[in-house]
Amino acid sequence: MRIRIVDAFTDQPFSGNPAGVLLLDSFPDDAWLQKVAAEVNLSETAFAHPLPAGGEADWALRWFTPTTEVDMCGHATLATAHVLHTTGTAGGTVRFAARCGILITTAEADGTITMDFPTSSLTPIPVPKGLEKALGAEIVAVHDTADHIGDLLVELRDETTVRSLTPDFAALKVLSSRGVIATAAAERPDSGYDFVSRGFFPAVGIDEDPVTGSAHTALAPYWSARFGREELTGFQGGARTGLVRTRLNGDRTLLNGHAVTVVEGDLRA
């Protein structure tokens, strides 16, 4: 079977967030899927297979980190849609059935893909004990996110602080069910983005995820409320970076970005 590695939320190879993608006839047992994801050893590997015509979705979609299955993943969904479109397997709009519900992707005329995801809820909470020490930075505010994400959204003082973080991953591992999203407003109005973020997910085997699409279902409503605008652009990453364009649409968040295939080969397992 063909296996691909796609860099998501970028139009340049070796940037953005890489995801493994396998298109299957059906899902094998979970243990096999997990072994493949561990072998690929990226933050997520996506597995998809076509569904019968006439249903509410066109493809079934699952995502695995090297250690566990997750409920929602943005960049691997973008990568999967990119593979479907660039191989001619699907065109236009594709509906995916996933753990978090029906996700819809649309190929745009400019080569980008727009994804329709559920908007995360945001619940303000006190700063958890040990979080400032684990991040190594003073915290402005903390919000808990929806169940399908399970992250702590943490606002820090400024962009420089976010970019310079060197967290204690072992300490962060026990502070949330999935991860910690550190964020701040962009420092320069001419930067081409409105806010920055970095995502740390040691609880699911990923110390830092370069560009986390699902996190932007929480970042979008958070910063849209702050700026009073429905459409924003987020910049995420440490060593690897990417841009996510967001638009609030009621209880849904639209995420838009490029993707590029960098590796294609045969899986012989």
Side-chain angles (χ1 to χ4, degrees):
M1 64 196 75
R2 301 298 284 171
I3 184 168
R4 298 167 175 86
I5 295 176
V6 177
D7 288 346
F9 295 116
T10 181
D11 59 359
Q12 299 294 321
F14 315 120
S15 186
N17 198 352
V21 178
L22 278 86
L23 304 182
L24 307 167
D25 295 326
S26 62
F27 289 138
D29 64 86
D30 291 1
W32 185 88
L33 296 174
Q34 188 63 74
K35 287 178 181 178
V36 172
E39 186 77 10
V40 174
N41 200 32
L42 296 173
S43 57
E44 268 89 11
T45 297
F47 302 90
H49 72 75
L51 295 172
E56 63 178 358
D58 308 303
W59 288 74
L61 179 61
R62 298 172 71 180
W63 313 277
F64 285 76
T65 77
T67 62
T68 191
E69 185 173 7
V70 296
D71 287 350
M72 181 190 291
C73 180
H75 85 280
T77 302
L78 175 58
T80 304
H82 170 80
V83 169
L84 290 174
H85 292 299
T86 56
T87 59
T89 308
T93 296
V94 180
R95 301 167 300 166
F96 293 102
R99 273 186 168 189
C100 57
I102 303 299
L103 307 176
I104 302 172
T105 66
T106 303
E108 307 291 355
D110 63 357
T112 63
I113 291 173
T114 298
M115 302 183 292
D116 183 326
F117 272 53
T119 300
S120 174
S121 60
L122 292 168
T123 305
I125 62 172
V127 177
K129 183 179 179 181
L131 182 57
E132 283 194 332
K133 183 177 180 181
L135 282 175
E138 181 181 351
I139 292 173
V140 175
V142 180
H143 287 72
D144 201 3
T145 62
D147 291 341
H148 287 310
I149 304 178
D151 296 332
L152 296 178
L153 181 64
V154 181
E155 183 182 354
L156 301 182
R157 183 175 62 247
D158 53 35
E159 178 177 344
T160 299
T161 301
V162 173
R163 286 177 174 269
S164 61
L165 289 174
T166 55
D168 180 340
F169 295 118
L172 283 182
K173 187 174 182 178
V174 300
L175 290 172
S176 72
S177 59
R178 190 182 78 158
V180 173
I181 309 163
T183 187
E187 291 179 352
R188 298 193 345 261
D190 61 345
S191 60
Y193 51 86
D194 302 288
F195 60 88
V196 298
S197 66
R198 289 174 67 188
F200 309 110
F201 308 100
V204 292
I206 308 159
D207 283 346
E208 180 166 7
D209 194 41
V211 193
T212 313
S214 59
H216 284 74
T217 66
L219 288 162
Y222 186 79
W223 288 111
S224 287
R226 180 75 59 85
F227 295 136
R229 289 188 283 124
E230 292 184 346
E231 296 188 18
L232 299 172
T233 298
F235 175 95
Q236 184 181 336
R240 295 174 67 117
T241 62
L243 292 173
V244 183
R245 288 178 287 276
T246 69
R247 179 162 66 89
L248 288 184
N249 185 23
D251 62 353
R252 309 292 291 185
T253 296
L254 303 184
L255 309 173
N256 174 271
H258 286 90
V260 57
T261 301
V262 293
V263 175
E264 182 174 354
D266 293 325
L267 177 66
R268 300 182 180 274

